Amino acid sequence: MATQDPTHSSTTGTEVPVVVSSETLSVDEIAQILSTELHLGRQQIIQTLALLDDGNTIPFITRYRKEVTGSLEEVQIQSIADRSAALRALYERKLDVRRLIAAQDKLTTELDTALTAAATLQEVEDLYLPYRPKRKTRASVAREKGLAALADIILQQPEIVQNTEAAIEAYAQPFLNAEKGVDTSLEAYSGASDIVAEIVAEDANVRGGVRTVFFRQASVGARVATPEKVAEKDPNGVYQLYYEFNENVTRLVPHRVLALNRAEREEVLRVSVALPYEQVQRDITAHYPVKETSPLAPFLSDALADGYKRLLAPAMEREVRVELTRQAEEHAINIFAANLRNLLLQPPLRGKKVLGIDPGFRTGCKLTVVDETGKYITSDTMYLFKEEEARTLVRTLLTDYGITVIAIGNGTASRETEQLVADLLSKIENENKKIGYMIVNEAGASVYSTSEAARDEFPTLDATKRGTISIARRLQDPLAELVKIDPKAVGVGLYQHDVDQKELAAMLERVVVSCVNFAGVDLNSASSALLKHVSGINTRVANAIVKYREANGPFKKRQELLKVAGLGPATFVQAAGFLKIANGEEPLDNTFIHPESYAAVRALLALLPEGESKHAKPAERIELFRQRLKLQNSLSNLGRIKPQRGTSNTTGSEQAAWQEMAHDLNIGVPTLHDILENLEKPGLDPRDALPAPILRHDVLKMEDLQPGMLLQGTIRNVVDFGAFVDIGVKHDGLVHISELADGYVRDPLTVVAVGQVVQVRVLNVDTQRNRVQLSMRGIKSTTAAS
């Protein structure tokens, strides 16, 4: 049955007002939904939501509340947080819509039931659309003329066996009113048809069906705005691929959506989404059947077509554009986030003094020396056109400060600087001195050099020196240095300027927080820019920590954090485990073990065998523990024993021993596992397990490349169509997605990651366009970055 006009008094159906609920969506209801969506245990979700609602951070929950969450991973906890927020927002909108419709005395039991069943915000908005206050429309004008009842008659499609023309006139006669501007039956039916068109276009069932067809069968087209605009806005033909473009909405890939959007913003193209009425006519007439035997059939048929073409199709076009853009932006942001994570988690180059070089022609190359901890030592300037003087200066700095690593920025004159450095190093190597260099992505260095953080850190240095320090430090500890820069400026994104900047910033901040807490932070050397990303710590507390450190010297133990202004017990609980102190009063402070577990650790150490020496380290005692377990494989003589890591290969008795030990220590089995891992590897930095940066000793030119050559390189960026690899020449080579692996690759991020060291084969070299085509097909040797 056709939906009646909700704004017209002749609406039929149950009109008894429904009481609007003011209750909030319960945790149990959320858990029931998420359990199905995320394929997780309902109790896991309930307990995780309780932790989140209590203000615990995701890094803290992930690492220190495994017993509560059932060892959920960070991404799963984030999904619970995101989806629960979305469900709560949906429920709040339902309440709001109920209230708004009830205020009009039009909330029926059927409508209330439909609102309850709505699973998306779009469904809720579809139901609310007929009741939403509107600006003046053709239908509203017709209603003011009293034609709503005639519209109802058209929708009812009465069947008359008498004279058709007479019946048409008879139905219109009561609605003719010269004072209201309805002088003829044609005018009456025209106005009534406008009302019918609006009713149909706003029907939630119709919109739902048409939306489904639109998202499956519509075509996205593009054409040039005007030849004059193309000549002005796109002289190089950047968007030439899209000048005459047409593609099914289901086949349109994300990067093309963003490119079309950008071209439209730049007034090069006009983009449209089209779907002929004939392809949705059946879906519409299923709700509003046209009876051929009715004299009013032509009016309904025309109104249906008009409602679609004038009202519904443009709305669906907007929805498709919005949804395609949302999906494309989400895809681009996720790629950016994955690249950023891999970049931030590059392994640090520890214990090395570094000479940083910011290349330049006219103003010279800025040189800066930093010590093993990144502390600034000295700086100078060399000029490439004074080659001998430049070589002498570099040699002097290398010799005077015992430098073994050089970081060269990849900006203007980087390859000329690299050539000079490589020539010098070849001579130094003949003197039995091993020194290497690396081209460092300097994206964002200039942003940092003029930032407030840089001025606070180096108030007496100019911006060029600060930027060069940043280049040197990026090699020593990428995470600690790059967190000082806006993530959007670090040079691993694509289309980052085409996406929602608020969503991008939120996602990148989430990645930075995840990386900082994954790697841990040295409490006595971390900058406030790094500290503010630690679980539970904000900018104000981070600055207070630095000020306390400057006034009182290095922290000696974690408990001292409670003396910092503004850092209370709640913040301490969230942050303490991620803040490490090397060479402090408490050895456990240099691990990820949380202070809340220190008592359990000491009880555990009392249970471990002493070993051959009374001064044996915990790692040695744990290893002895495992060896005894292997030999005995029973509890009869050993008492409480921990099995080997990974329960899949342990016997039932070993698992029972592990559980018994955790029970006696009053901790969970996952926490026991984490404690043992940290005791075995005190000061553990997860990044150290990754391959070290490739240091070069000679230079490779584009002209040296030949098809078939095998080279080692580092992934610099991953995009939809492949990956860019630094192979030591001026321009990164491209491994197209079709060349990433022997088999089919749907997503490059499943094969490669930023920072990954890979073996590649040269396919083609275009020296005129500075392009190198590479392949990884048939090559097995790659080293993952994370």
Side-chain angles (χ1 to χ4, degrees), residues 52 512 657:
L52 290 167
V512 172

Side-chain angles (χ1 to χ4, degrees), residues 353-417:
K353 292 179 181 177
V354 177
L355 170 62
I357 304 179
D358 184 3
F361 285 121
R362 185 176 59 83
T363 58
C365 301
K366 305 301 183 289
L367 311 178
T368 297
V369 178
V370 296
D371 70 9
E372 295 86 348
T373 65
K375 183 179 178 181
Y376 169 73
I377 297 178
T378 189
S379 59
D380 213 321
T381 302
M382 71 175 185
Y383 296 91
L384 294 173
F385 57 84
K386 298 179 180 179
E387 191 170 330
E388 285 305 316
E389 290 182 18
R391 287 182 181 179
T392 301
L393 176 57
V394 173
R395 178 188 280 271
T396 300
L397 291 173
L398 295 176
T399 303
D400 290 352
Y401 296 100
I403 295 169
T404 56
V405 179
I406 301 173
I408 304 173
N410 66 342
T412 304
S414 64
R415 292 306 165 180
E416 290 77 7
T417 304

Side-chain angles (χ1 to χ4, degrees), residues 13 78 209 261 376 484 573:
Q78 188 68 64
N261 289 350
Y376 169 73
K484 302 173 185 177
V573 169

Side-chain angles (χ1 to χ4, degrees), residues 126 203-214 287 312 316:
D126 281 352
D203 187 301
N205 293 321
V206 171
R207 292 178 77 89
V210 171
R211 181 180 293 111
T212 299
V213 179
F214 234 92
H287 298 284
L312 190 51
M316 290 299 107

